[in-house]
């Protein structure tokens, strides 16, 4: 019987084939499952990213809404605060006007102080009518006929140069055609210390910041020429006239190369934009400060203000400066005030005070200072200015500053000054040194040992140096390094009259010290 073949190998191979099929199917399923998982995760991440973007967008919108609400609230708060400030200012102004109306003395103080402190164009001119006529004609030729020119107004401080130009400009601007076309540029040598600053100020006053803001120029002359070119509207007759007022004109002459003055005067001599250059200065030698090229382009027209009026006109100025205007609210008080001013002008003591003031200085500025000091004493209980007020104000104006310094010295320093005074009397104004002054002081102390304390020499030396610091004494020669301080020659900067006047007003001055000052070599 033949041996049967076993099925074990066939079954094994079939099982392996089945396992391979199952394994292959599992790998495919696993790959597809993994793919499905990857797609699901990618979709989930995309959804989360979209949610985050939406959340950020919503948060940004919320923040923007909150910022707008905060801005609106801040704006409302600032508007409310601004309104409250404006309302408070309005109420304060109304209260001040009500007080001024109710109390005429405060109104008097306000009106007269504005008149004394500011060069108002509403006040009258005194003694410069001829110069005013020439100046207004020159300005009208520039503003109306397009004629360029230049002029210097020369006069001492307080002579009315600024008031003169203010009056002329005020009258010029009252002409309707002129006020719409003429431009003004005011420069001051104390403020515009160089040409660059002056050019910026010209640009600002002519409202040309936007025109020259993005421009780049090679030189100052090109920049200035462009500014003046920007004012042109056609030919010479239709261009905008410009009036340049240069206060403290002599300081502009110290600018480098005098470029500003050169270009202004050069344009005033050419057929460009019609300009008028008006310089105000207190230096008589101003033309000597100008360069040759600048001087050749200047018209050499000068106006001199010298306060040529006499004392009768000075008395008239005094009355006009103190009188109240016709539009004063309290008519009755204004009449009484003006009557009091008229009585003051007729008072002999007041005339003597004004005469002394007139002899010292004709400047209206010094007169305004005198009247300001007298006006400060006007109160409700003291409603009008009196002759005593003017006399006291005159004393304050004429007070010696060095005598006031003596009032604040110690008794030891007063004694040293008296010793120096006696040395000047003995040696006929010859210089002295510390040792000589100390010896004179010791002689006085030995005679009056019961009333004057004997100070040590270093203390006296310290007081002597303090007098030198106060510039009551000064060294005759330059101080040498090797020279002893005790023997350095000095000179007293006070005269006998100043010393005696100061001693009379010195508080609690010992009697022996005062007698020593009035004695004549009695201690020898």
């Amino acid at each position: 019987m033949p041996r049967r073949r076993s099925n074990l190998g066939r079954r094994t191979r079939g099982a392996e084939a089945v396992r391979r099929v199952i394994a292959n199917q599992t790998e495919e399923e696993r790959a597809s499952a993994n793919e499905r998982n990857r797609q699901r995760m990618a979709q989930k991440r995309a959804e989360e990213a979209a949610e985050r973007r939406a959340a950020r967008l919503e948060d940004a919108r919320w923040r923007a809404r909150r910022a707008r609400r905060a801005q609106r609230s801040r704006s409302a708060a600032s508007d409310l605060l601004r309104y409250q400030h404006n309302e408070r200012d309005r109420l304060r102004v109304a209260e001040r006007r009500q007080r001024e109306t109710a109390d005429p003395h405060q109104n008097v103080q306000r009106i007269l102080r504005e008149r004394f402190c500011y060069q108002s164009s509403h006040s009258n001119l005194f003694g410069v009518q001829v110069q005013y006529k020439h100046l207004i004609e020159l300005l009208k030729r520039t503003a109306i006929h397009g004629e360029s020119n230049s002029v210097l107004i020369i006069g001492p401080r307080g002579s009315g140069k600024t008031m003169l130009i203010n009056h002329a400009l005020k009258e010029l601007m009252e002409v309707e055609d002129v006020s719409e076309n003429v431009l003004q540029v005011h420069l001051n040598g104390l403020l515009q210390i160089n040409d660059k600053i002056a050019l910026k100020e010209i640009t600002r006053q002519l409202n040309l910041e936007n025109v020259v803001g993005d421009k780049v120029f090679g030189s100052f002359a090109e920049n200035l020429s462009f500014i003046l070119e920007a004012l042109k509207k056609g030919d010479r007759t239709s261009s905008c006239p410009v009036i340049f007022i240069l206060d403290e004109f002599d300081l502009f002459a110290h600018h480098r190369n005098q470029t500003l003055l050169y270009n202004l005067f050069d344009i005033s001599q050419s057929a460009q934009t019609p300009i008028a250059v008006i310089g105000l200065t207190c230096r008589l030698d101003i033309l000597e400060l100008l360069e040759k090229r600048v001087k050749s382009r200047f018209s050499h027209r000068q106006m001199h203000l010298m306060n040529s009026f006499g004392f009768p006109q000075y008395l008239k100025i005094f009355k006009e400066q103190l009188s109240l205007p016709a539009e004063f609210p309290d008519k009755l008080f204004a009449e009484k005030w003006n009557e009091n001013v008229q009585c003051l002008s007729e008072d002999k003591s007041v005339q003597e005070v004004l005469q002394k003031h007139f002899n010292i200085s004709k400047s209206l500025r010094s007169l305004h200072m005198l009247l300001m000091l007298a006006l400060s004493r006007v109160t409700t209980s003291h409603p009008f200015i009196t002759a005593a007020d003017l006399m006291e104000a005159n004393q304050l104006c004429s007070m010696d500053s060095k005598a006031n310094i003596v009032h604040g010295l110690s008794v030891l320093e007063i004694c040293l000054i008296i010793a120096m005074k006696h040395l000047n009397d003995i040696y006929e104004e010859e210089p002295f040194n510390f040792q000589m002054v100390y010896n004179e002081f010791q002689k006085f102390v030995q005679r009056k040992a019961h009333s004057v304390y004997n100070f040590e020499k270093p203390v006296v030396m310290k007081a002597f140096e303090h007098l030198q610091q106060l510039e009551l004494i000064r060294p005759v020669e330059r101080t040498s390094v090797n020279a002893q301080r005790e023997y350095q020659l000095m000179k007293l900067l006070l005269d006998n009259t100043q010393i005696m006047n100061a001693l009379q007003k010195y508080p609690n001055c010992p009697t022996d010290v005062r007698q020593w000052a009035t004695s004549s070599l009695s201690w020898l």
Side-chain angles (χ1 to χ4, degrees), residues 230-359:
L231 301 174
K232 289 188 176 183
K233 296 183 294 186
D235 55 4
R236 179 187 176 91
T237 59
S238 61
S239 297
C240 242
V242 188
I243 300 176
F244 287 87
I245 296 95
L246 307 182
D247 204 355
E248 302 293 342
F249 181 83
D250 51 290
L251 297 181
F252 288 96
H254 296 293
H255 292 186
R256 184 178 179 181
N257 298 330
Q258 300 181 1
T259 309
L260 177 66
L261 299 182
Y262 171 77
N263 284 277
L264 290 179
F265 287 150
D266 184 64
I267 294 171
S268 67
Q269 293 293 322
S270 60
Q272 297 183 16
T273 302
I275 69 171
V277 182
I278 303 173
L280 309 180
T281 181
C282 58
R283 295 193 56 168
L284 293 174
D285 61 341
I286 181 61
L287 292 181
E288 303 300 326
L289 302 178
L290 299 179
E291 295 179 356
K292 184 176 180 181
R293 61 170 189 159
V294 178
K295 192 185 303 183
S296 64
R297 285 161 175 78
F298 175 53
S299 65
H300 289 267
R301 179 180 282 106
Q302 302 179 38
M303 297 182 184
H304 293 270
L305 308 183
M306 293 299 177
N307 287 337
S308 58
F309 49 78
F311 182 71
Q313 190 172 4
Y314 188 79
L315 196 61
K316 181 180 178 182
I317 295 172
F318 165 78
K319 289 189 295 184
E320 291 184 0
Q321 291 296 296
L322 271 185
S323 299
L324 292 178
E327 59 271 11
F328 191 78
D330 193 340
K331 304 295 182 182
L332 181 61
F333 181 83
E335 292 179 2
K336 293 181 179 179
W337 177 276
N338 292 337
E339 290 176 2
N340 178 70
V341 172
Q342 180 65 29
C343 295
L344 284 177
S345 63
E346 298 173 357
D347 193 317
K348 295 298 182 182
S349 60
V350 175
Q351 290 184 2
E352 290 178 359
V353 169
L354 294 177
Q355 183 70 56
K356 292 179 181 179
H357 210 73
F358 176 78
N359 293 337

Side-chain angles (χ1 to χ4, degrees), residues 119-125 132 135-136 139-140 162-176 178-179 184 186 243 245:
Q119 298 292 339
S120 175
S121 58
H122 300 284
S123 56
N124 296 326
L125 291 173
Y132 176 75
L135 180 61
I136 193 65
L139 292 178
K140 286 184 177 179
T162 303
M163 185 176 293
L164 176 67
I165 187 63
N166 288 342
H167 272 75
L169 291 175
K170 178 176 178 294
E171 180 178 341
L172 184 68
M173 292 305 165
E174 289 177 353
V175 181
E176 183 177 357
V178 172
S179 60
Q184 299 181 28
H186 295 262
I243 300 176
I245 296 95

